[in-house]
């Protein structure tokens, strides 16, 4: 079945440093979604990318969708303590029937040292 | 206020007892999901439902059961057959099975 892998699993950064997490799928995706889960909280949707090579920005966050629609990245510029949490990517396969659905990666846990 | 509610927030049960976790949504979403999250782990799909009176097993359905009698409600029962039930349980809903998912606040279940 489809697998979605994220690296790194954990990342510790000094406040002000940049951070990047990578998401790789074993199959071509129809879209890629990113979620953030704060410590003790629940995942919250951040953004969805649909087009090959698409880049979207949300303030200090930059999201990219690969040309082959099998990988994606989230880059945070100048991290702040409010960025702490676990970032998940998720995506459905490009085509398929039956039980195909959104598959989540295991997430990257970001810690920011003040 | 639209959204997903889960109750209770914290739940304690004795080993050998069944327990039911509530999940209600007023977003008019067709699809609903149950995930289990263990410390430092990702989201593992337990069950999902795309329409009323229909549901499918996810990756870790053993020891769990669900029902979908109403569009708004998707309760999860953790049975005594579930060997390691202590975890954080998250309910989610979406328009369709590949669409953005909206999560409830979760229920932390502890088996004593």
């Amino acid at each position: 079945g489809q697998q979605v892998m994220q690296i790194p699993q954990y990342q510790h950064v000094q406040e002000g440093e940049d951070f990047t997490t990578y998401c790789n799928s074993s199959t071509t995706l129809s879209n890629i979604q990113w979620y953030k889960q704060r410590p003790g909280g629940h995942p919250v949707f951040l953004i969805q990318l649909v087009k090959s090579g698409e880049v979207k920005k949300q303030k200090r966050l930059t999201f990219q969708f690969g040309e082959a629609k099998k990988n994606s990245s989230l880059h945070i510029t100048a991290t702040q303590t409010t960025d702490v949490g676990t970032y998940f990517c998720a995506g459905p396969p490009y085509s398929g029937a039956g039980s195909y659905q959104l598959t989540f990666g295991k997430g990257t846990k970001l810690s920011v040292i003040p | 206020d639209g959204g997903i509610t889960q109750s209770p927030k914290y739940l304690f049960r004795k080993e050998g007892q069944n327990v039911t976790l509530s999940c209600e949504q007023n977003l008019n979403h067709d699809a609903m999901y149950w995930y289990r999250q263990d410390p430092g782990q990702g989201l593992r799909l337990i069950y999902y439902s795309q329409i009323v009176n229909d549901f499918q097993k996810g990756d870790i359905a053993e020891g769990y059961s669900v029902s979908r009698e109403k569009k708004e409600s998707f309760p999860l029962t953790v049975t005594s057959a579930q060997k390691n039930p202590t975890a954080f349980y998250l309910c989610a809903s979406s328009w369709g099975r590949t669409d953005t998912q909206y999560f409830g606040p979760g229920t932390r279940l502890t088996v004593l």
Side-chain angles (χ1 to χ4, degrees), chain A residues 61-72:
Chain A
L61 277 61
T62 302
F63 303 84
Q64 293 188 336
F65 199 11
E67 293 291 339
K69 300 183 76 171
K70 293 182 72 173
N71 55 73
S72 180

Side-chain angles (χ1 to χ4, degrees), chain A residues 9-10 30-31 33 35 37 39-45 48 88 92-93 96-102 104-107 109, chain B residues 6 9 33 35 37 39-43 45 48 50 56-59 88 90 97-106 108:
Chain A
Q9 190 175 358
Y10 302 95
S30 62
N31 68 70
Q33 300 171 25
Y35 296 76
Q37 183 177 21
H42 59 276
V44 174
F45 172 74
Q48 177 177 286
F88 293 97
S99 64
Y100 82 95
Q101 61 183 334
L102 205 60
F104 282 85
K106 291 191 175 181
K109 186 174 182 179
Chain B
Q6 289 185 245
K9 189 172 183 180
Y33 314 82
Y35 294 92
Q37 188 174 41
Q41 299 297 311
L43 305 170
L45 183 64
Y48 65 100
Q50 296 174 60
Q56 285 78 41
K57 293 182 179 180
D59 301 320
F88 185 41
L90 288 158
R97 57 188 176 184
T98 64
D99 294 322
T100 301
Q101 293 189 10
Y102 295 83
F103 287 81
R108 294 192 183 276

Side-chain angles (χ1 to χ4, degrees), chain A:
Chain A
Q2 180 195 14
Q3 291 186 349
V4 176
M5 292 152 285
Q6 279 186 259
I7 54 170
Q9 190 175 358
Y10 302 95
Q11 185 78 58
H12 305 273
V13 299
Q14 202 76 34
E15 188 173 17
E17 291 182 340
D18 292 356
F19 158 77
T20 304
T21 174
Y22 299 92
C23 178
N24 295 288
S25 171
S26 58
T27 59
T28 304
L29 301 170
S30 62
N31 68 70
I32 189 81
Q33 300 171 25
W34 286 91
Y35 296 76
K36 177 183 179 180
Q37 183 177 21
R38 294 181 185 274
H42 59 276
V44 174
F45 172 74
L46 292 176
I47 206 163
Q48 177 177 286
L49 305 173
V50 179
K51 299 177 183 177
S52 170
E54 188 171 10
V55 178
K56 285 188 176 181
K57 292 189 176 183
Q58 287 181 347
K59 298 183 180 177
R60 294 177 295 103
L61 277 61
T62 302
F63 303 84
Q64 293 188 336
F65 199 11
E67 293 291 339
K69 300 183 76 171
K70 293 182 72 173
N71 55 73
S72 180
S73 65
L74 158 60
H75 179 81
I76 302 178
T77 303
T79 55
Q80 299 176 359
T81 54
T82 54
D83 296 324
V84 165
T86 301
Y87 293 85
F88 293 97
C89 64
Y94 183 74
S95 63
S99 64
Y100 82 95
Q101 61 183 334
L102 205 60
T103 300
F104 282 85
K106 291 191 175 181
T108 295
K109 186 174 182 179
L110 173 63
S111 300
V112 178
I113 306 163

Side-chain angles (χ1 to χ4, degrees), chain B residues 18-112:
Chain B
N18 290 356
V19 62
T20 298
L21 282 57
S22 167
C23 177
E24 304 278 332
Q25 56 99 358
N26 61 5
L27 300 168
N28 201 32
H29 285 166
D30 291 313
M32 296 187 74
Y33 314 82
W34 274 104
Y35 294 92
R36 169 179 173 144
Q37 188 174 41
D38 294 285
Q41 299 297 311
L43 305 170
R44 291 190 290 170
L45 183 64
I46 305 173
Y47 268 98
Y48 65 100
S49 168
Q50 296 174 60
I51 55 172
V52 173
N53 292 322
D54 186 52
F55 48 83
Q56 285 78 41
K57 293 182 179 180
D59 301 320
I60 55 165
E62 185 175 350
Y64 300 97
S65 66
V66 293
S67 62
R68 186 89 186 273
E69 297 177 1
K70 297 187 299 181
K71 188 175 185 177
E72 303 78 21
S73 179
F74 191 41
L76 173 74
T77 297
V78 184
T79 74
S80 56
Q82 169 50 234
K83 295 181 180 178
N84 297 298
T86 295
F88 185 41
Y89 290 88
L90 288 158
C91 179
S93 70
S94 67
W95 291 111
R97 57 188 176 184
T98 64
D99 294 322
T100 301
Q101 293 189 10
Y102 295 83
F103 287 81
T107 293
R108 294 192 183 276
L109 172 65
T110 302
V111 174
L112 305 171

